[in-house]
Amino acid sequence: GAAAGAMGVAATTQKALSLERIMYDVEKATNASGAELKRYETFLNDTARATGKTAEELGQMLSAAGYAGRPVKELTRFVQYAAKATNAWGLSAEQTGQSMAEIGNIYQADQKRIEEIGDAINTAADQSAARESDLLDFIRRVGGAAKAQGMSAEQTLAFGAALKEIGVSTEVAATGMNAFINMMTQGEEAEDKVQEGLKKIGLDATKMAKAFSKKPVETMVDLLQRIDQVKDGVKRNQILLSLFGKEYGDDIGRMVGAVPRLNELLATMADKRKYLGSVAQSAELMSEKDFNRLERAQAAIDQMSRTLGNPLKIGFGQFAEQFNRDVERFSTSANVIERW
């Protein structure tokens, strides 16, 4: 009985200490203190009970968003949405929070826009062979270059999902997409082999670059369709090698045959009615499952443990402080004796 009691005291105290460590990180990331920091703690406990994620996980997400430069006034909404996305996508809270914060920075997006992109990721993954983690990685790698050329996050996701469906690894898909975008912008500076390859399908590098600056997605799709119309396999391979080199020619070549599927994905991503709210719907569906009910119950138990452990934590902290002082006095006395 005594051992069980000691274990219970240790467990509740540890729960209180673990959240205190996270709140220290939150304090540094947000510059919050006093009552404001206490409000953050209450928010984390409430959100943990609602989603089944631990308060510690949510605190890591909040501090990561703060360090990433997300506006303080949007942090709680950011965490609420990212917690739902974490459940829907099966990723860790830290991974989801970091990825969403980076996407927000890439697109200079407010929280509403971050949620639109998150819903687009959720829908693109649900309607393709790509996983959410693949699309998150893809858009983090390609988003900056694509955005600079006028492509939206949703359009970029459609290309990423199409590439994943034809079996291209995420890293290769991202580098290949960057190479594709780079080739489209070369214009007069294009190498002779690129000019020659474009000439074989009735295009000119300078004119194509101008068209790409106005309608990037349409111009890319048009190029793929023109290559697809070349039925001679040898000639088609030569064109792909001229335009994309040995490194990416094969992967873009596989994408040529997937243009109809790419167009379907682009059409879905072009209509916000088809994807807005999808993360919330997925989270709501999950909340009806027994495993999530158990996770939420565990979050409630954890909060109770922390509530019980807080006074113990304070008492042990005061005892530890006094103990440290006593040891320090003893060490000082020992040093005096040693010198004598």
Side-chain angles (χ1 to χ4, degrees), residues 73-329:
K73 64 180 180 180
E74 295 183 350
L75 285 178
T76 54
R77 180 174 167 181
F78 178 94
V79 171
Q80 286 173 328
Y81 180 82
K84 293 177 183 177
T86 298
N87 280 340
W89 300 346
L91 302 176
S92 70
E94 184 178 6
Q95 184 179 1
T96 303
Q98 184 67 30
S99 298
M100 296 302 292
E102 289 178 9
I103 288 171
N105 291 340
I106 289 170
Y107 289 96
Q108 299 177 332
D110 60 12
Q111 183 56 32
K112 180 182 176 182
R113 180 62 181 140
I114 288 176
E115 291 176 15
E116 290 177 355
I117 297 172
D119 288 344
I121 290 170
N122 193 69
T123 300
D126 287 347
Q127 297 189 7
S128 72
R131 296 175 299 181
E132 291 87 353
S133 58
D134 295 327
L135 296 177
L136 280 168
D137 192 22
F138 180 82
I139 199 169
R140 288 162 69 190
R141 293 172 181 266
V142 179
K147 176 179 176 290
Q149 302 304 324
M151 293 176 64
S152 69
E154 289 83 353
Q155 291 169 332
T156 305
L157 287 168
F159 276 92
L163 284 164
K164 289 299 298 180
E165 280 200 343
I166 56 177
V168 183
S169 69
T170 306
E171 184 177 354
V172 173
T175 53
M177 185 66 177
N178 280 323
F180 196 170
I181 292 171
N182 182 59
M183 192 278 295
M184 298 295 293
T185 61
Q186 289 177 5
E188 295 178 355
E189 298 178 359
E191 297 180 6
D192 291 340
K193 62 179 182 179
V194 174
Q195 293 277 19
E196 187 64 28
L198 290 173
K199 188 176 180 181
K200 290 178 181 178
I201 52 176
L203 292 174
D204 172 77
T206 303
K207 292 180 180 179
M208 186 179 72
K210 290 180 179 178
F212 180 70
S213 67
K214 297 176 181 178
K215 296 183 177 181
V217 173
E218 292 85 344
T219 308
M220 293 174 80
V221 172
D222 177 65
L223 174 64
L224 294 173
Q225 289 173 332
R226 285 173 182 265
I227 297 174
D228 190 39
Q229 291 169 2
V230 179
K231 301 307 178 184
D232 185 329
V234 174
K235 185 178 179 181
R236 179 190 291 191
N237 285 337
Q238 289 174 344
I239 293 170
L240 288 167
L241 287 173
S242 298
L243 299 180
F244 304 105
K246 294 181 180 180
E247 191 173 3
Y248 306 112
D250 289 344
D251 296 317
I252 302 298
R254 291 158 71 184
M255 193 175 185
V256 166
V259 170
R261 179 62 178 141
L262 172 61
N263 283 328
E264 289 177 4
L265 290 165
L266 285 168
T268 299
M269 295 291 98
D271 188 351
K272 289 186 177 183
R273 293 172 300 178
K274 294 182 179 179
Y275 62 83
L276 285 184
S278 66
V279 165
Q281 291 170 6
S282 296
E284 185 176 351
L285 180 64
M286 180 174 286
S287 69
E288 299 172 359
K289 306 301 180 184
D290 288 333
F291 68 85
N292 187 250
R293 289 174 179 149
L294 290 171
E295 287 173 348
R296 284 182 279 138
Q298 183 60 55
I301 292 170
D302 288 345
Q303 184 179 351
M304 290 176 62
S305 295
R306 279 190 292 270
T307 301
L308 293 171
N310 270 326
L312 295 171
K313 177 198 69 173
I314 294 170
F316 285 136
Q318 291 172 346
F319 171 78
E321 181 64 22
Q322 183 60 48
F323 180 76
N324 289 335
R325 290 196 189 100
D326 292 341
V327 169
E328 185 176 355
R329 282 195 293 268

Side-chain angles (χ1 to χ4, degrees), residues 57-72:
E57 287 178 309
L58 298 174
Q60 288 175 338
M61 187 185 293
L62 194 152
S63 58
Y67 284 131
R70 301 311 306 159
V72 172

